[in-house]
Amino acid sequence: MAVVVPGLGLAVTAAPGAASTALQAWAQDQPGAAPVVVPPGADVDTKHGTVTQLRRAGLDVPEGLRILTSTRNPFDYWHAEWHRSRTRWAVDAQDPTSWVNDDPAVRDRVHRACVQPFSRWLVEELTARWDADDRAHLNAGHIAEADHVVRMEHLDDDLRTAVGDPSLPDVPRHNVTAGRSGGLTAYRDAYDATAIQMVTRLHAPDLDRFGYRF
């Protein structure tokens, strides 16, 4: 969920797969912070809605706040998505009431991750979602509206810079993807040349703006 932090002049949004749980927990711990409550039936993602989407749905997000969100190395992001699909989300798919089963496309993506090696799954996924000429940020809607984008790999330092407080304590980690040996570099052995080229082309804006590399 988005969190309003008046004392810091921020509205903090949760970009999927980019330390959003940790960032939201940090925001809610700040004095005077308040979550933007999404009522049942509202046409906006309860956890990951952007400020633009929340306002469009008629929810009250005060004007004049700086918007802060997060991002992640796209090479690592896609490998983590594949791994979560094969582990946590594959378990969720066994529950007929799970969110995984709300959308046939999501259920199919999880199934394909379970039966395909990473690079084959990723090439199919990117080909199905984007045209060959597309160039896009991860979670482009979150980044487009944000005044500050903190990188998951440098969350503490980037957040200190955004807030303007070099003494800010480290942010406790939450919801870390379990079981991937190698942590943030676990993706390196999983990519083939085609998958590297596709992510490099598609997410060129992330590589250029945030300094990410394979």
Side-chain angles (χ1 to χ4, degrees):
M1 70 190 77
V3 180
V4 173
V5 189
L8 297 176
L10 294 175
V12 181
T13 64
S20 61
T21 303
L23 189 60
Q24 296 305 292
W26 168 84
Q28 291 188 81
D29 283 344
Q30 304 310 303
V36 179
V37 178
V38 179
D43 187 21
V44 61
D45 188 306
T46 301
K47 179 176 181 180
H48 297 299
T50 66
V51 168
T52 301
Q53 292 166 341
L54 292 165
R55 287 174 175 160
R56 188 181 299 139
L59 301 178
D60 182 23
V61 182
E63 300 288 345
L65 298 174
R66 293 172 292 130
I67 300 173
L68 184 146
T69 196
S70 58
T71 194
R72 181 179 192 167
N73 185 326
F75 294 104
D76 177 48
Y77 169 87
W78 285 113
H79 186 259
E81 287 288 290
W82 174 78
H83 181 81
R84 283 192 290 261
S85 295
R86 294 165 62 92
T87 53
R88 188 167 78 233
W89 296 340
V91 173
D92 290 342
Q94 305 306 309
D95 177 1
T97 66
S98 168
W99 67 274
V100 173
N101 292 304
D102 289 342
D103 185 339
V106 172
R107 187 173 63 246
D108 179 64
R109 184 164 68 247
V110 170
H111 171 72
R112 287 187 292 103
C114 291
V115 300
Q116 291 179 331
F118 169 71
S119 284
R120 184 187 303 169
W121 172 84
L122 180 60
V123 169
E124 287 188 8
E125 182 70 16
L126 298 186
T127 301
R129 290 198 193 191
W130 287 283
D131 294 331
D133 293 332
D134 286 346
R135 303 291 186 274
H137 284 294
L138 281 176
N139 300 314
H142 291 78
I143 290 176
E145 69 176 16
D147 300 287
H148 304 285
V149 181
V150 297
R151 297 165 294 175
M152 189 184 84
E153 302 82 6
H154 304 281
L155 182 62
D156 301 313
D157 289 341
D158 285 357
L159 193 56
R160 291 179 185 114
T161 298
V163 173
D165 181 2
S167 66
L168 192 73
D170 287 353
V171 177
R173 299 312 191 246
H174 292 262
N175 204 22
V176 177
T177 301
R180 284 201 313 157
S181 60
L184 295 178
T185 61
Y187 64 86
R188 291 189 179 276
D189 293 331
Y191 274 82
D192 64 17
T194 300
I196 292 172
Q197 291 170 1
M198 290 188 73
V199 174
T200 299
R201 182 184 69 245
L202 173 62
H203 293 306
D206 289 308
L207 275 61
D208 292 342
R209 178 174 175 180
F210 301 113
Y212 287 128
R213 296 292 182 269
F214 179 76

